[in-house]
Structures are given as structure tokens and as C-alpha cells.
Amino acid sequence: MKPNKYMFFFVLLLLPLLLSGCGRRYADDSSLSGSLSTEESNTAANGTDDHTLNPTESTIHISTTESSALEDTAGQTDSSSGSNPYEVRAGELLLSMSLEEKVGQMFFVRLRKASAVQDIEKYHLGGYILFGDDFKDETQTGIQDFIKNCQNASSIPLLMGVDEEGGTVCRVSKYAVFRSEPFKSPQDLYKQGGLEAIQADTREKAAFLLGLGINVNLAPVCDVSVNPDDFIYRRSFGREARETSEYVRTVVREMEKAGIGSTLKHFPGYGNNADTHTGSAVDTREYQQFVQNDFLPFEAGIKAGADSVLVSHNIVTSMDEKHPASLSRTVHDKLRESLNFKGVIMTDDLSMDAIKNSTSEAAVLAIAAGNDVLVATDFDIEIPAVLDAINKGTLKEEQIDTSVIRVLVWKLKLGILQ
């Protein structure tokens, strides 16, 4: 019995020490948890200023090094916000779509008026972009009826877009039958009434376009230009990066309130480059110039809720010496990861002279680079080329699915798809 008595006293002596050790362990765990929560809060507060991704955070982007990432991104949502109902619904719709329908949704194409309905039925297009000639000799009722016919022909509602920037680019309002005078440029509006005039103009423009059946305005121009000799100057806000950022933020917020789609352009920033409609342009500026200047209006637009970003055909040597930005994986990774953009990325028109590849090669390269939507004129050549690349394994269907999810989410947000 004596050994048992000693053992009993020994246990009594050890018990407080054991309990004290356990208490410290729980306190340490609590401290660690609090530290992690603080770190996550700081990351959220910093937004795009902190480019380090939390490995536990769920993001929508395509990795350049992990092939499996393509299989995991469809329908993915930010872990801090829970399930996104738009993405859930988009995933449901995706399940019933054929490969041809999915690829078609990635094409936002220049309208061919005479064959518009037939092209929708044959290619399952994601949307049409209308240019000035499409409104020539038309009436408001005529355009409304035409767009309704196109929408009725499409099993998935179409994005219907224009470039109605104001000033030098007015596809619709330049015709008096639609508006008594063209919309003014951002520079002229700001001179007349500051940001309040910009807000009022954006609201009026959105109502004007939506009334015709147009649900996307390919605007605002985010390029920073203060030199009147720059090609892009007259289309830009004409002021330094900080002021341009405030302009972009204002426009995007008003467009979102109005329920019309927005497009930030021309990423990563046009600078003083030449016109890529007529030839190639090479931008040799240092990368820091983009970080400290050109990226700022895009960051402002993204934080304000922009739906899409259009990527230019400029070759930006600080990011990719060989490929136009629209065909560069590196440039797209900057947009996804450094600027934390989760929406739709689209090319500038693939028929522009700055793209030296044949149209079929450019379409495949554009998707491989990370574009969700291809702005295209020669879609009857490009869509078969993309389908062929998928069937050959050059492009993965999982990547197509990821992009189509983003397109469907955009349509759901705009209220054109249920």
C-alpha cells in the first residue's frame, strides 16, 4: 500500500503543473489565431497594394506554372464573402452547354447586320459590338427592334456593346436622329462642371444606351495622357494619374448604379504610343512607370466594381518583349494577380494591324494568354480555329469553362440572364 500512497501524492504534485502547461498551450493557440485574423484584415484593408496572395484565399486566376489550377478556378469565389449566387447559377448553366456554345460565348464580335440572326444560330455568339455604320440611316425604333430580334434568336442573352466614349468616339449620338448633339468628351465635361458634370453625363448616357437595348458601353478610357500630341490624348481624361483615377472611379460607379456594363481600357496603359489600328506600337517605359502611374486608374476602376478590362495590342517591353499585351500571359497575370481583377478580360479587336499573326493563330494565342473574351471581326475563321485547338489539346476545355463562367456571371449581374 505504501508505494500506492507515494504515487498518489506524486500525482497530486504533478497535476497543477500539467494544468498550467495546458493553460499556456490554449493561450498560445488563441494568440496565434488572433495574429492570423489581424494579418488577414490588414491584407483586406490594403487591397491591391499588397500583392502577396494568402495561400488559403480563393481567387479566380489562371496560374502560369500549375496546370491543375485551370481545373480548380471555375465558379471559385473569394473565401471571405462566401458563395457567390451568380457564380453558382453560372456553374449550373455551364453544365448544359455544348463545347460549341461555350466557345461562342467567348466571342464579342463586330456586327454583320445582314447575317446577324444566322450568325447567332450558327456560332452561339456571346455578343455584338455595333459601330457607327450600324446606326446610319436608322431610327431609334429600328435599332430597338433589330436588337430585340437578335436577343430572341439567342438561347443565351447577348451582350450588346458600343464605344460611346464621348468626344471623338461617339458611335450613336453623332447621328441627330438619336440625339440632338454628340456626347461631349470627358475633358470638355470636366472643364464645364467638374466631376458632377461627369456623373450627370454618365447617367444620361447609360439611360440613352439602355433605352436602345445596348447593355455594355466599352468605356471609360483609363489611359493617362497629358500631352496633346499623344494619339490617345483626345480620348483620355487629359490629366495626371490621380485625377484620371478619380474620373474612372466616378464613371464606373455611375455605370454600375445604372445597370450598364463597363470596360476599362486600354490595359496596361497606352502612354504616348502610336495607333495600333494601323500598325504595331512598342512601349519601352520602365515597369515602375506603370506601377506608379498607368496602373492607378485601372486599380481605381477595379475597386469601383468594373465588369471588364480590355487589353491593348501594344508591346510593353518591361513585361513582355516578344508579344503584344493582348497575347501576353505575363501582362494578364499582372492584371489578375497584381491588380486583383476577377472579372472579364477581353482583347482589343483581333483584326487590328498591330496583330501580326493570322486571325486564327491570334485567337488561339489570345485565349492561351488568359483572355476570357475575344473582340473579333473574323469570327467565322477564329471560332473554328479555337474549337480545333481544343480538340487537339492545344487549349484545355477547363480554361474555356473558367472564362465562360466569368462571361455568364457578367450577364447575370447585368440582369439580362436569369
Side-chain angles (χ1 to χ4, degrees):
M1 292 298 292
K2 287 184 179 181
N4 288 340
K5 183 191 296 185
Y6 295 143
M7 186 175 296
F8 175 73
F9 285 117
F10 180 70
V11 170
L12 284 178
L13 287 171
L14 283 178
L15 188 57
L17 293 174
L18 290 170
L19 289 174
S20 175
C22 291
R24 283 195 298 269
R25 173 64 179 273
Y26 291 138
D28 289 344
D29 288 348
S30 176
S31 174
L32 178 60
S33 175
S35 174
L36 288 173
S37 299
T38 303
E39 183 177 332
E40 290 166 359
S41 298
N42 289 339
T43 300
N46 289 338
T48 54
D49 293 333
D50 185 355
H51 302 322
T52 304
L53 292 177
N54 187 326
T56 63
E57 184 177 65
S58 177
T59 58
I60 302 178
H61 67 86
I62 300 170
S63 171
T64 57
T65 57
E66 297 177 354
S67 60
S68 62
L70 292 173
E71 300 173 4
D72 298 332
T73 51
Q76 206 167 355
T77 60
D78 190 319
S79 59
S80 64
S81 60
S83 296
N84 183 324
Y86 292 134
E87 290 180 346
V88 172
R89 178 59 181 149
E92 293 170 353
L93 293 168
L94 186 76
L95 293 174
S96 63
M97 295 171 65
S98 67
L99 178 60
E100 290 74 16
E101 288 172 325
K102 289 189 283 190
V103 169
Q105 285 301 298
M106 296 178 68
F107 280 79
F108 199 6
V109 308
R110 186 164 189 160
L111 174 67
R112 297 176 181 177
K113 216 167 185 179
S115 61
V117 170
Q118 296 94 316
D119 290 337
I120 292 167
E121 294 171 345
K122 182 174 182 180
Y123 296 108
H124 315 286
L125 299 169
Y128 278 133
I129 299 176
L130 285 71
F131 285 76
D133 286 348
D134 298 315
F135 298 95
K136 188 178 180 180
D137 301 323
E138 280 285 1
T139 64
Q140 292 190 31
T141 302
I143 288 294
Q144 289 167 341
D145 291 343
F146 172 77
I147 290 177
K148 284 179 183 176
N149 289 337
C150 289
Q151 293 289 17
N152 290 337
S154 183
S155 58
I156 297 176
L158 299 159
L159 297 172
M160 300 297 294
V162 293
D163 297 275
E164 193 69 19
E165 300 169 7
T168 60
V169 181
C170 291
R171 307 301 192 197
V172 193
S173 63
K174 68 179 180 179
Y175 297 107
V177 69
F178 292 99
R179 194 171 187 268
S180 59
E181 63 176 354
F183 284 103
K184 290 182 172 62
S185 73
Q187 293 184 33
D188 288 341
L189 285 167
Y190 189 73
K191 288 175 185 176
Q192 290 175 9
L195 288 176
E196 289 184 2
I198 297 289
Q199 286 177 303
D201 176 81
T202 304
R203 287 193 293 266
E204 182 189 349
K205 197 179 294 179
F208 170 77
L209 296 175
L210 289 168
L212 295 172
I214 296 164
N215 50 44
V216 175
N217 188 11
L218 296 163
V221 172
C222 300
D223 305 293
V224 178
S225 175
V226 295
N227 185 348
D229 293 332
D230 292 347
F231 161 72
I232 204 67
Y233 176 78
R234 289 196 297 164
R235 294 172 62 186
S236 75
F237 191 52
R239 294 177 179 268
E240 299 289 351
R242 298 288 177 184
E243 293 173 284
T244 301
S245 299
E246 189 58 37
Y247 158 72
V248 170
R249 184 182 297 110
T250 299
V251 172
V252 170
R253 284 175 176 171
E254 291 299 328
M255 292 179 74
E256 186 173 31
K257 289 177 188 176
I260 191 166
S262 58
T263 302
L264 309 179
K265 60 186 185 184
H266 308 80
F267 189 80
Y270 217 94
N272 62 354
N273 290 284
D275 183 4
T276 52
H277 292 82
T278 58
S280 60
V282 179
D283 192 330
T284 58
R285 290 177 295 164
E286 295 293 328
Y287 180 67
Q288 278 303 113
Q289 173 70 14
F290 289 91
V291 173
Q292 297 171 1
N293 191 67
D294 295 67
F295 284 174
L296 300 183
F298 290 96
E299 289 179 314
I302 289 167
K303 289 180 180 179
D307 300 301
S308 63
V309 175
L310 182 147
V311 182
S312 77
H313 296 318
N314 294 341
I315 296 175
V316 184
T317 57
S318 63
M319 300 182 214
D320 191 328
E321 294 183 351
K322 297 180 180 179
H323 304 100
S326 55
L327 306 183
S328 169
R329 165 63 71 177
T330 303
V331 171
H332 287 74
D333 284 346
K334 295 293 183 187
L335 182 53
R336 287 285 182 220
E337 296 170 8
S338 297
L339 276 71
N340 198 31
F341 181 60
K342 293 176 168 59
V344 170
I345 300 178
M346 67 176 76
T347 67
D348 211 338
D349 194 331
L350 295 179
S351 69
M352 290 163 63
D353 287 349
I355 301 292
K356 296 299 184 184
N357 304 85
S358 70
T359 53
S360 60
E361 289 175 341
V364 174
L365 290 172
I367 294 175
N371 290 287
D372 304 303
V373 164
L374 278 58
V375 175
T377 297
D378 303 313
F379 57 87
D380 52 339
I381 297 172
E382 292 157 344
I383 289 176
V386 170
L387 288 168
D388 185 56
I390 297 168
N391 290 329
K392 289 179 177 177
T394 306
L395 294 173
K396 292 184 178 181
E397 189 170 354
E398 290 84 357
Q399 181 178 353
I400 303 299
D401 290 349
T402 300
S403 292
V404 176
I405 288 285
R406 293 190 182 111
V407 174
L408 296 177
V409 165
W410 190 9
K411 292 184 175 184
L412 288 161
K413 281 180 62 181
L414 291 176
I416 64 173
L417 177 62
Q418 304 299 320

